[in-house]
Amino acid sequence: MKVKKAVIPAAGFGTRFLPASKSQPKEMLPIVDTPTIQYVVEEAVASGIRDILMIIGKGKRAIEEHFDRNFELENELEEAGKIAELKAIRRISNLADIHFIWQKEMNGLGDAVLHARHHVGREPFALLLGDTLIEAGSRPMTRQLLDVFARYGESVVALEDVPRDKVGRYGIMSGEQMNDDLYLVSDFIEKPTPKEAPSTLAIAGRYIFTPEIFDYLADQPPTKNKEIQLTDAMRRMVKQHAMYGLRFKGTRYDIGNKLDFIKTNVMFGLHRPDMRKELLAFIQQISKTPLA
């Protein structure tokens, strides 16, 4: 069955970005000049998916407005002869068919995904987390996962090889290697110690799920914090349904914290022809200047 729908959870409070996220969704914080959530949507679209459901929460109205048309701004740009800017903002509202549903209580990622059940139905779907951007050249990360799904017809999760001393930050896969980059998953361990980790392959924020994941999320016991954890449901699911892990080709940018957010802005700025030269010169200049 072809994957036609994508789900993007965007309901969290973004507490790691306070005070900026107090009145502005963290998903709308820009990487150079583009909101992070737009990059995620563009990845889904570039992978062939145009039916997108976003799970949003209180204070996230700006996300809806970003993907809607702004006729007043369009008219002003047209009258000012700013055609390039006009085309850019019109393109945003035409990227995909984007739907929104509200997660009224923040009860974890698994609960957010469960909110997509009625929209997705009994179809497979892509899940893209908004705090991770992945550059993968001509084959977007989600497209790579879709290719694996097309071959095996089972759930697939993106994996990144991380340093062993960093495994405690991630959910780590245990499984059998099928070829250079593909694994048959047997389990996941959430934030293990370096000694406990069965591998150094971490879940990287991109998934293709068969609809059975909703059944496991629906009866997943909440944690002590009353959250439904996606990884816990995946651990139960993999005992009864095959699941694959793909070590992707590309570069992952974790923008879930302030330092990595700044690093990502610098890297994306260096990729821009209109600012690379001056930005690189600035970096070289300050690297030679002693800090006060």
Side-chain angles (χ1 to χ4, degrees):
M1 182 181 293
K2 185 177 180 180
V3 177
K4 302 176 183 178
K5 298 176 180 178
V7 175
I8 303 176
F13 289 121
T15 53
R16 285 181 288 182
F17 282 92
L18 288 170
S21 57
K22 179 178 180 291
S23 60
Q24 176 180 220
K26 68 171 184 176
E27 295 83 4
M28 289 299 295
L29 295 175
I31 302 299
V32 185
D33 58 3
T34 302
T36 57
I37 193 73
Q38 184 176 325
Y39 285 108
V40 179
V41 170
E42 287 176 342
E43 179 187 327
V45 172
S47 301
I49 300 175
R50 290 183 54 84
D51 186 339
I52 298 173
L53 177 68
M54 289 192 193
I55 316 299
I56 61 174
K58 184 176 176 58
K60 304 284 184 166
R61 185 71 68 183
I63 298 176
E64 291 187 85
E65 293 181 353
H66 180 70
F67 290 100
D68 196 5
R69 290 191 67 178
N70 185 327
F71 293 100
E72 293 81 2
L73 178 58
E74 289 180 21
N75 289 336
E76 187 166 322
L77 291 173
E78 189 168 16
E79 290 175 3
K82 297 182 177 181
I83 305 305
E85 291 86 349
L86 177 62
K87 289 181 178 179
I89 68 163
R90 281 183 174 169
R91 173 181 170 273
I92 295 169
S93 59
N94 293 322
L95 274 173
D97 296 322
I98 302 178
H99 315 269
F100 298 89
I101 191 169
W102 289 74
Q103 183 185 23
K104 296 178 182 178
E105 295 183 50
M106 302 299 103
N107 292 327
L109 175 60
D111 180 66
V113 175
L114 191 54
H115 275 63
R117 187 174 199 168
H118 294 296
H119 182 83
V120 171
R122 300 307 293 179
E123 299 179 31
F125 66 100
L127 176 67
L128 298 86
L129 303 191
D131 59 359
T132 296
L133 301 183
I134 298 177
E135 285 191 326
S138 59
R139 288 183 69 232
M141 180 67 260
T142 300
R143 180 70 262 167
Q144 294 179 37
L145 298 181
L146 288 170
D147 291 342
V148 175
F149 177 81
R151 181 175 181 180
Y152 295 99
E154 301 286 358
S155 298
V156 193
V157 57
L159 301 173
E160 179 187 23
D161 207 350
V162 300
R164 184 162 285 274
D165 63 348
K166 300 291 193 301
V167 294
R169 301 179 182 180
Y170 307 99
I172 301 296
M173 184 219 69
S174 174
E176 176 186 349
Q177 189 168 11
M178 300 180 64
N179 59 39
D180 288 346
D181 298 311
L182 190 65
Y183 296 78
L184 181 62
V185 178
S186 60
D187 199 1
F188 296 98
I189 299 179
E190 190 68 25
K191 299 180 180 179
T193 65
K195 187 176 292 187
E196 293 172 334
S199 73
T200 55
L201 295 172
I203 299 173
R206 298 292 186 272
Y207 316 74
I208 304 296
F209 282 121
T210 58
E212 286 79 13
I213 188 63
F214 293 125
D215 301 328
Y216 292 92
L217 287 170
D219 64 4
Q220 176 62 43
T223 65
K224 292 180 180 179
N225 295 328
K226 298 182 180 180
E227 294 187 345
I228 297 175
Q229 296 294 340
L230 176 63
T231 304
D232 290 344
M234 291 169 63
R235 294 189 69 185
R236 293 169 53 234
M237 181 176 175
V238 78
K239 304 304 180 186
Q240 297 176 302
H241 300 271
M243 185 179 297
Y244 295 89
L246 178 67
R247 181 170 53 189
F248 67 86
K249 294 180 174 65
T251 302
R252 184 178 70 90
Y253 298 94
D254 183 352
I255 56 173
N257 63 79
K258 296 172 186 177
L259 179 58
D260 286 329
F261 177 77
I262 292 172
K263 289 179 179 179
T264 301
N265 264 284
V266 172
M267 292 304 300
F268 274 59
L270 289 172
H271 294 166
R272 289 272 298 260
D274 61 332
M275 61 178 63
R276 174 180 171 80
K277 183 177 179 180
E278 292 184 7
L279 179 57
L280 185 58
F282 173 72
I283 293 171
Q284 292 171 336
Q285 176 187 341
I286 62 174
S287 67
K288 299 174 184 178
T289 304
L291 295 176

